[in-house]
Amino acid sequence: MSELVIKQTHALIQAGEIAEAEANLAVIAEQEGDHALVAVLDEMAPKDVLAVMREFDASKESVINLLVSPEQFVQAILLERQYGEPLEKYVPRLRNTMNAVMHRTGPSCAEVLECLAEHDEGVRLLADYFIDHYDSLLALAFHGVFEQEIDAEKAFAPKSAATWDAERVDELDQGLEIGDAVEMARVRMSRSEVADGDWMETAWVLRHEFQDTFELLIIEIQDRLQRAAEAARLPAETEPGVPRLEEDDEESAI
């Protein structure tokens, strides 16, 4: 029975009929119970599970997002980067898909983060998830709050790595080692204060329950900001692919 359903679902996904594929899976839960659907999802190819989840998020719920196991979900979501979408499409889709599963119940966030921590690409995926809020994550790491100065409008405004310059990155590298600094920065918020079912709550759980992974995430964020700062200092070329000439070279060329 499960093999037939999996084949039918795969065929529907290949044909682009994602909603019908999801409905096909939902019938199992209705007729045989949630445990039967969980067993089928565990046997499905992660890319097929992801194909269905990409069409549904917290605003458009699916029984798949409600029942997929943390292990199968992580195997699927790690494939998201392979789609090669532009950041403006990739990041919101990634965050919505992750939120739909991580924040479906209270314990779900920790369960998914625990599985992510076991994968080499887990930290990079989390860095993608938080990409609009790097300075808030760094503030949480080193100061225990998302914003050093309380500014609600600024707290929820997307942040870009390009807004960081080399001086701000260098400041974070000075003094204590990252691990010591994070350990000493007491978090001054409770989970209920940041229970947004989104990046703030995810960051809080990560900081409180997975400190080693959180420290690796901060290192990854700092590396990305450093690379962005270095790229911003590179001189722009007058024409694509044409090396910029120094003044002496320009005179000799004439």
Side-chain angles (χ1 to χ4, degrees), residues 3-48:
E3 287 186 16
L4 177 60
V5 172
I6 291 171
K7 288 180 179 179
Q8 291 174 341
T9 303
H10 177 73
L12 289 168
I13 291 171
Q14 291 294 100
E17 302 292 339
I18 307 299
E20 191 172 343
E22 193 272 344
N24 194 48
L25 293 169
V27 168
I28 299 175
E30 294 172 3
Q31 295 181 349
E32 302 182 37
D34 292 350
H35 67 282
L37 178 54
V38 170
V40 170
L41 291 174
D42 285 343
E43 294 180 22
M44 283 178 59
K47 64 178 182 180
D48 285 347

Side-chain angles (χ1 to χ4, degrees), residues 85-107:
E85 290 183 322
L87 279 179
E88 60 270 17
K89 290 186 63 178
Y90 163 64
V91 172
R93 186 195 296 276
L94 174 69
R95 187 177 296 130
N96 288 337
T97 304
M98 290 182 67
N99 286 341
V101 177
M102 285 198 298
H103 297 291
R104 60 190 177 186
T105 67

